[in-house]
Amino acid sequence: MDEATASLDVENETLIQESLSRLIENKTVMIIAHRMRTVAGADQIVVLSEGTVAEQGSSDMLLKKNGIYARMVKLQTQSQSWVME
């Protein structure tokens, strides 16, 4: 869903993600994404690195592990405040 929502403003992206969340409730869904925000609410996150599973778990668990997932979340969070001058 990253590509489909990449050109949307945050407000409309949020509305689409909320709608999708209602549609997929109580279903097994595989989400492939680059934006951590897209996968943050998943029950199980699998982080791939160089073609292998590097980390697996919930968002909270992976953040506590302070590995690849945590680093990606941190970088994406920091980039949201970037301003071009």
Side-chain angles (χ1 to χ4, degrees), residues 8-22:
L8 295 175
D9 57 88
V10 174
E11 183 178 320
N12 282 308
E13 180 184 7
T14 299
L15 290 172
I16 288 172
Q17 286 183 343
E18 288 172 352
S19 296
L20 285 171
S21 293
R22 285 191 299 276

Side-chain angles (χ1 to χ4, degrees), residues 34-71:
H34 294 94
R35 291 184 185 178
M36 300 301 97
R37 180 177 182 218
T38 303
V39 298
D43 295 328
Q44 211 39 240
I45 297 170
V46 178
V47 179
L48 300 176
S49 178
E50 299 183 18
T52 62
V53 175
E55 299 175 349
Q56 184 174 347
S58 68
S59 181
D60 288 341
M61 187 173 104
L62 294 175
L63 287 171
K64 289 176 187 170
K65 186 176 178 185
N66 204 28
I68 297 170
Y69 177 82
R71 186 172 70 248

Side-chain angles (χ1 to χ4, degrees), residues 71-82:
R71 186 172 70 248
M72 291 191 302
V73 169
K74 182 180 177 183
L75 288 172
Q76 287 186 9
T77 302
Q78 288 174 341
S79 69
Q80 290 174 354
S81 64
W82 292 352

